[in-house]
Amino acid sequence: MDRVTSVRAIATRYAARRGPLLPILHAVQSEHGSITRPDVVAIADVLNISIADVHGVVSFYSDFRSTPPPAHTIEVCRAEACQSVGGQALHDEIVARFADSSDVQVREVFCLGNCALGPSGTIDGRLCGRLSTDRIAALTKGSSA
């Protein structure tokens, strides 16, 4: 089954539900790794809404991606408790370290509820505490930096 057919099938599966757009987008991203322009067009067609409406939701929420995901995603907490133990400096170092890397994405988050073990973050969705530049590099070993 080609991608557009798959996306249409996903959209059709959720179309009768109340407020189907977000569940459809999550399902498409889960299945295909990203939400492309042809996906947006297919979803809009199935739901009989404008392409702009679908695109607006995809572009508004940072969890949705229009390109395939990188090998690693690093999220560093920027909330007050983590900042007080070096979270801001860690975030800045990690952003600089992976600035030219195509296989690592660095994002900021605000409070993961792991304040006692700050600076906290997630690496590939796994919660980690007491993060340092070296620890992050070890957990993303093999990535270009």
Side-chain angles (χ1 to χ4, degrees):
M1 173 182 319
D2 72 339
R3 183 173 174 131
V4 171
T5 303
S6 170
V7 170
R8 291 183 73 78
I10 292 168
T12 300
R13 187 174 345 134
Y14 290 92
R17 293 185 182 184
R18 184 174 174 192
L21 183 54
L22 284 174
I24 291 168
L25 294 172
H26 283 289
V28 169
Q29 183 159 290
S30 177
E31 178 73 23
H32 297 288
S34 62
I35 302 167
T36 64
R37 174 74 176 173
D39 299 342
V40 169
V41 172
I43 293 165
D45 183 51
V46 169
L47 295 180
N48 195 29
I49 60 177
S50 75
I51 294 169
D53 285 339
V54 179
H55 173 76
V57 172
V58 172
S59 62
F60 178 79
Y61 291 104
S62 64
D63 289 338
F64 294 128
R65 347 182 23 88
S66 59
T67 58
H72 299 288
T73 300
I74 302 168
E75 296 179 322
V76 178
C77 181
R78 305 268 315 275
E80 289 81 5
C82 285
Q83 281 191 43
S84 71
V85 292
Q88 179 65 50
L90 175 64
H91 178 268
D92 295 345
E93 290 170 20
I94 295 304
V95 166
R97 180 179 188 132
F98 293 108
D100 296 326
S101 177
S102 62
D103 60 346
V104 176
Q105 177 186 32
V106 180
R107 298 173 55 176
E108 63 183 8
V109 294
F110 293 91
C111 198
L112 295 163
N114 200 32
C115 305
L117 297 176
S120 295
T122 65
I123 299 177
D124 300 330
R126 191 180 79 197
L127 180 63
C128 301
R130 303 208 195 289
L131 286 175
S132 66
T133 305
D134 292 338
R135 183 154 184 240
I136 290 172
L139 291 169
T140 59
K141 190 172 177 122
S143 300
S144 58

